[in-house]
Amino acid sequence: MPPSAAEPSRHGYRHASVLLDGAVDALVHDPGGAYLDGTYGRGGHSRAILARLTPQGRLLAIDRDPQAIAEAKVLTDTRFSIVQGEFAQLEAVARQHGLHGQLAGVLLDIGVSSPQLDDPERGFSFLRDGPLDMRMDPTQGESAAQWLSRASEADIAHVFKVYGEERFARRLARAVVARRLERPFLRTGDLAEVLKAAHPAWEKGKHPATRAFQALRIHVNGELEQLDAALSAALEALAPGGHLVVISFHSLEDRRVKRFIREHVRGDSDIPRGVPVREDQLAKRLETLGKARRPSPAEVEDNPRARSAVMRVARKLR
């Protein structure tokens, strides 16, 4: 029986894997090969991949969230193993498991899982009041509350503008710094109320704190730097002919994925324009497999969080 798109977690929160069938269709071209799921989450994609593999197939997964690692313990399939860590480390993880340069496919489902958003104790969402944390791995690094307590107004504005694409970044940063002089931000609800009061132009259907919360999460977890490193690592870990499948959820991520694939499809861009070269001198390393794909209207209706998802697929040439 194929796995359900909505997987219940041990903590009671459900997670619907976005573009589940499409991603696995694009990824698994050799049922007896070795694959890597760089973002295990709650295991929806991993279960679907395992369902496509023969007894000779193998799946290695990575996640930095301790709760995701705990969830993975319910998978007793001998073809499956998981490592706690950042997906930027996937090349090293593949080496440790004897799979470097041998992977038939790498899947990266970027972003935050529904259980992370829905659990107020994780501090990712302004919709449910909880500790202002936002870390994928709560045991590592600095929480959003800790960073906001020390960052300069200019740094806060920069994060809101660059990572949240927030038009009123300076105004919101000013409000945050002014309020923290009275007392520190410790709760998501408290920060959301300050951002809401300071925002001069609310977007229809969108909470005025949305962009700032996205920006804080991206900054605290180093998500874009992680993505850049993971894409390069995946290219090295794949075998020739291996498939790279990436699902992103906002334009900052998708632009990076699109640019990475385009650069490696074009090949060596350092050769001066007009200089005659052979095809093998261009050092092209990837070819695209179809156009960017988005969830169907039916999937979006069933899972509204899928509406912004974009999937890109490429094959490694050399």
Side-chain angles (χ1 to χ4, degrees):
M1 178 185 290
S4 169
E7 296 289 348
S9 78
R10 293 163 59 243
H11 297 84
Y13 302 103
R14 298 185 70 82
H15 174 66
S17 298
V18 176
L19 290 162
L20 181 66
D21 291 332
V24 178
D25 287 344
L27 182 75
V28 181
H29 59 99
D30 173 10
Y35 294 85
L36 188 146
D37 181 353
T39 45
Y40 179 80
R42 293 303 180 265
H45 285 118
S46 283
R47 288 182 176 86
I49 293 166
L50 288 167
R52 303 284 185 93
L53 300 184
T54 66
Q56 292 72 41
R58 186 174 176 187
L59 176 62
L60 175 62
I62 304 172
D63 208 293
R64 57 174 160 172
D65 187 337
Q67 289 187 7
I69 300 300
E71 296 285 348
K73 290 181 179 179
V74 304
L75 270 180
T76 56
D77 195 314
T78 58
R79 301 169 300 171
F80 173 78
S81 57
I82 189 167
V83 174
Q84 183 173 2
E86 300 169 342
F87 66 10
Q89 303 166 333
L90 70 83
E91 185 181 356
V93 170
R95 285 186 186 277
Q96 292 165 6
H97 287 76
L99 295 173
H100 181 258
Q102 299 181 38
L103 292 172
V106 171
L107 171 65
L108 300 175
D109 180 8
I110 314 301
V112 187
S113 68
S114 291
Q116 288 171 327
L117 288 171
D118 293 338
D119 183 356
E121 293 304 308
R122 302 302 301 271
F124 283 102
S125 175
F126 48 78
L127 297 177
R128 298 171 177 83
D129 184 52
L132 186 58
D133 194 312
M134 296 192 182
R135 289 172 293 176
M136 301 285 189
D137 181 354
T139 69
Q140 300 291 324
E142 192 174 40
S143 71
Q146 290 169 329
W147 184 76
L148 282 178
S149 71
R150 66 164 184 82
S152 68
E153 181 179 318
D155 284 346
I156 295 171
H158 175 79
V159 166
F160 286 174
K161 181 176 179 61
V162 174
Y163 295 152
E165 300 179 300
E166 172 57 69
R167 289 171 54 207
F168 301 99
R170 291 183 181 179
R171 182 167 180 156
L172 298 187
R174 239 183 349 259
V176 167
V177 171
R179 213 312 297 278
R180 82 180 181 193
L181 293 175
E182 302 171 16
R183 64 184 188 278
F185 288 99
L186 300 176
R187 309 285 296 182
T188 57
D190 184 20
L191 176 61
E193 285 303 310
V194 170
L195 294 170
K196 179 179 177 181
H199 206 294
W202 297 9
E203 298 176 61
K204 185 177 180 181
K206 181 176 288 189
H207 192 288
T210 300
R211 294 181 182 276
F213 264 68
Q214 171 188 294
L216 278 173
R217 190 203 81 219
I218 290 172
H219 173 71
V220 164
N221 293 290
E223 291 180 31
L224 298 184
E225 296 82 1
Q226 284 277 318
L227 176 57
D228 290 341
L231 291 170
S232 296
L235 182 57
E236 299 308 320
L238 282 167
H243 290 192
L244 173 64
V245 179
V246 187
I247 303 171
S248 57
F249 288 84
H250 57 74
S251 59
L252 293 175
E253 295 169 342
D254 185 53
R255 283 199 294 266
R256 275 174 152 75
V257 176
K258 183 178 180 180
R259 183 175 64 241
F260 177 84
I261 293 175
R262 184 178 63 234
E263 288 175 353
H264 289 285
V265 166
R266 288 178 176 174
D268 193 342
S269 60
D270 294 331
I271 298 175
R273 187 183 295 272
V275 174
V277 293
R278 299 191 310 273
E279 183 72 17
D280 63 344
Q281 291 176 305
L282 292 175
K284 295 180 181 180
R285 302 194 68 191
L286 289 174
E287 65 176 349
T288 57
L289 296 179
K291 298 180 179 179
R293 304 171 214 182
R294 296 180 180 274
S296 67
E299 181 174 1
V300 173
E301 183 177 358
D302 184 58
N303 177 21
R305 286 175 176 164
R307 64 185 177 275
S308 60
V310 180
M311 182 174 74
R312 297 186 185 274
V313 184
R315 178 190 290 121
K316 180 176 176 177
L317 297 176
R318 57 194 295 275

